[in-house]
Amino acid sequence: MVPVDAPDRTQQLVGAETVLKEAHAIAGDGLLDFLVRHAAATASGHSVALAAIASDAETLGMRASAVDTRRMLGRAVARDSTHPTMSLWSAEATRRR
């Protein structure tokens, strides 16, 4: 497991993905399956997979996750981000509404 204060953001994402995969192995499908897919796509920087995940989120009624995943993709493209995040929901965006 990666310490929370690990300096390398990518290393933190890999740690989060590992935890989610372990939880998925224990608990099964559903939301954990979605979270594992999102973590893997984020950690690898796979924008096509993230776009598909955003579409899946919208189909499932998870609009906040869909919007924030698309916003994350837009920011990554705009600045060629080297600091990926697993943005599934943005508290900051919600407070502004």
Side-chain angles (χ1 to χ4, degrees):
M1 195 178 245
V2 177
V4 174
D5 62 346
D8 183 356
R9 189 82 165 141
T10 303
Q11 195 176 25
Q12 288 178 335
L13 285 171
V14 170
E17 181 183 4
T18 300
V19 169
L20 288 168
K21 283 181 177 178
E22 289 174 11
H24 182 265
I26 294 167
D29 293 330
L31 182 58
L32 284 169
D33 182 60
F34 177 84
L35 294 174
V36 167
R37 288 177 37 228
H38 192 284
T42 302
S44 68
H46 197 296
S47 60
V48 173
L50 282 167
I53 289 165
S55 293
D56 290 348
E58 188 150 9
T59 299
L60 294 168
M62 299 166 52
R63 288 185 182 90
S65 294
V67 168
D68 285 334
T69 299
R70 288 183 179 123
R71 286 180 62 216
M72 179 190 63
L73 282 168
R75 284 192 308 266
V77 168
R79 67 176 181 202
D80 191 26
S81 176
T82 58
H83 302 289
T85 64
M86 275 186 54
S87 179
L88 290 170
W89 171 73
S90 171
E92 179 182 322
T94 302
R95 281 193 293 267
R96 282 187 264 157
R97 291 183 187 158

